[in-house]
Amino acid sequence: MGYILETKDLTKRYGSKIAVNSVNMHIPEGQIYGLIGRNGAGKTTIMRMISGLSTPTKGDYALFGTTGAKRRRLLSQVGVLIEAPGIYPKFSAQENLRIKCIALGVDPRMEVPQLLQFVGLEGVDRRKSAGSFSLGMRQRLGIALAMVGQPKLLILDEPINGLDPQGIAEVREILVRMRDERGISILISSHILGELDKVADWYGVINEGELLDEFSSEQLHLRSGKYVKIRTGNTEGALEVLSGMNIQAQLMEEKDCIRVEGHLDQTAGIARAIVNAGIDLQEIFLRTLSLEDYYLNMTGGGHHE
Ligand code: ATP
């Protein structure tokens, strides 16, 4: 697999504090990579180093397979949204994007309307200043700003932090479209694993400066142990129906409950078959053993905001 970004023993030390410790991260091309870790875990420090905003104390990274002086030129193909997105509050979304285009030597005439449309800000009153934007609008403008110059890799630090569910859904949709329509690779950080569920193709979990694990979304779903739980007044009958559908299932310790591994996308069909067989179906739903909890335990507990 081709990596758009690969780090090797990437380390950052501030005095005696090791903020990032020998991190070996692998970001596949054309995919969304979620970097998960609690506040202070080292996500921003990693992102600052690989965006060229800060120098590693030790270790290195390859961008598009390139290191050293050659890599510096490639940094123009990396779009970055880290911490304050550099929005001028007195200016409108259009004006903010125009300024960034001019700074990067990009013709704003095509770029600005396209970007506004891409992030769903095209309908906003052109006189509205960015300072009066909602958080969600500001984040979308921040993403559009990071996209100026059509980067191949986008680095977004906590772009969904503090957004409401609708705002989160909007940003997710933008990210997926960037990947699918433009083939952009995306590195996105979050302190909540669940927020990136359904969006990220790969995950890296970081704690106290160390990368604990890297895994694909398929591996995540296997590990998170999703299963279908069925509650029925007639478990024996329901098991028979499932067996007739070639679906393996077992009785759970919990009274009147059956557990089905896999077949997560067949809940409607399963429910229909059980009901059609005249069997009393009380509940059917997807259960998840939260990987979030698993990792929170692994990283010493704590809670998310
Ligand atoms: P957050 O989401 O809160 O930004 P994070 O995972 O991005 O968390 P970092 O900001 O990378 O974490 O910080 C990692 C550690 O390095 C923290 O303990 C932080 O206090 C420390 N740190 C970060 N920047 C500096 C700095 N400039 N000087 C000293 N220590 C720093």
Side-chain angles (χ1 to χ4, degrees):
M1 190 179 322
Y3 296 119
I4 196 140
L5 186 105
E6 197 174 355
T7 71
K8 185 149 191 335
D9 296 331
L10 197 68
T11 301
K12 183 79 187 184
R13 200 182 263 278
Y14 292 110
S16 61
K17 164 133 191 106
I18 302 185
V20 172
N21 194 359
S22 255
V23 164
N24 295 304
M25 225 165 78
H26 307 83
I27 303 180
E29 194 169 350
Q31 305 218 331
I32 301 177
Y33 185 107
L35 185 61
I36 315 292
R38 286 189 288 167
N39 294 329
K43 307 180 295 294
T44 307
T45 307
I46 292 180
M47 289 178 146
R48 288 177 55 84
M49 285 189 279
I50 57 190
S51 326
L53 298 171
S54 135
T55 317
T57 312
K58 209 179 102 226
D60 202 1
Y61 63 97
L63 196 57
F64 313 108
T66 310
T67 54
K70 255 179 153 179
R71 184 188 60 211
R72 220 163 299 136
R73 285 202 296 276
L74 296 174
L75 280 174
S76 63
Q77 295 179 22
V78 181
V80 180
L81 170 60
I82 294 183
E83 286 152 358
I87 293 173
Y88 299 106
K90 292 222 173 92
F91 291 131
S92 68
Q94 273 87 355
E95 287 162 337
N96 268 285
L97 285 165
R98 243 179 78 81
I99 293 167
K100 178 89 185 259
C101 283
I102 291 164
L104 293 186
V106 172
D107 184 350
R109 281 170 297 184
M110 292 279 282
E111 187 92 341
V112 172
Q114 265 185 18
L115 287 174
L116 285 172
Q117 194 178 19
F118 200 85
V119 298
L121 287 176
E122 76 279 15
V124 175
D125 184 345
R126 292 180 70 109
R127 285 160 305 184
K128 197 173 167 69
S129 61
S132 62
F133 280 9
S134 68
L135 181 60
M137 289 164 78
R138 261 206 308 276
Q139 293 293 49
R140 283 186 276 156
L141 176 56
I143 293 172
L145 285 166
M147 285 177 73
V148 169
Q150 311 196 346
K152 293 203 174 80
L153 170 67
L154 267 184
I155 298 181
L156 308 172
D157 193 11
E158 301 254 8
I160 46 189
N161 196 8
L163 297 184
D164 59 19
Q166 194 196 333
I168 293 177
E170 284 166 2
V171 171
R172 277 180 171 161
E173 197 215 303
I174 293 171
L175 299 181
V176 168
R177 277 179 35 229
M178 279 184 198
R179 178 194 62 196
D180 296 348
E181 294 172 16
R182 301 196 171 192
I184 299 178
S185 313
I186 302 170
L187 169 63
I188 173 177
S189 71
S190 173
H191 59 287
I192 301 177
L193 177 67
E195 276 184 353
L196 297 187
D197 196 15
K198 301 193 195 81
V199 175
D201 306 295
W202 281 87
Y203 295 89
V205 177
I206 178 150
N207 185 50
E208 294 183 358
E210 294 190 10
L211 192 69
L212 297 181
D213 207 354
E214 271 187 321
F215 45 85
S216 68
S217 67
E218 286 98 64
Q219 286 165 326
L220 168 73
H221 288 134
L222 285 177
R223 291 188 207 181
S224 68
K226 274 193 182 152
Y227 63 93
V228 182
K229 181 171 170 182
I230 300 165
R231 191 188 302 277
T232 163
N234 177 359
T235 49
E236 229 167 84
L239 281 172
E240 222 166 273
V241 171
L242 289 166
S243 147
M245 295 171 80
N246 255 335
I247 292 178
Q248 287 203 348
Q250 66 257 19
L251 273 178
M252 293 177 66
E253 277 180 23
E254 196 177 331
K255 193 169 171 288
D256 298 334
C257 290
I258 294 172
R259 174 184 174 129
V260 178
E261 306 285 352
H263 307 281
L264 301 179
D265 51 354
Q266 287 178 37
T267 46
I270 293 174
R272 219 173 310 125
I274 293 176
V275 171
N276 286 346
I279 290 167
D280 160 43
L281 177 69
Q282 290 158 1
E283 285 192 283
I284 176 163
F285 57 97
L286 280 184
R287 277 293 317 240
T288 316
L289 298 174
S290 162
L291 193 68
E292 193 120 58
D293 292 342
Y294 172 73
Y295 273 109
L296 278 175
N297 286 336
M298 191 164 167
T299 58
H303 61 278
H304 16 94
E305 288 133 48

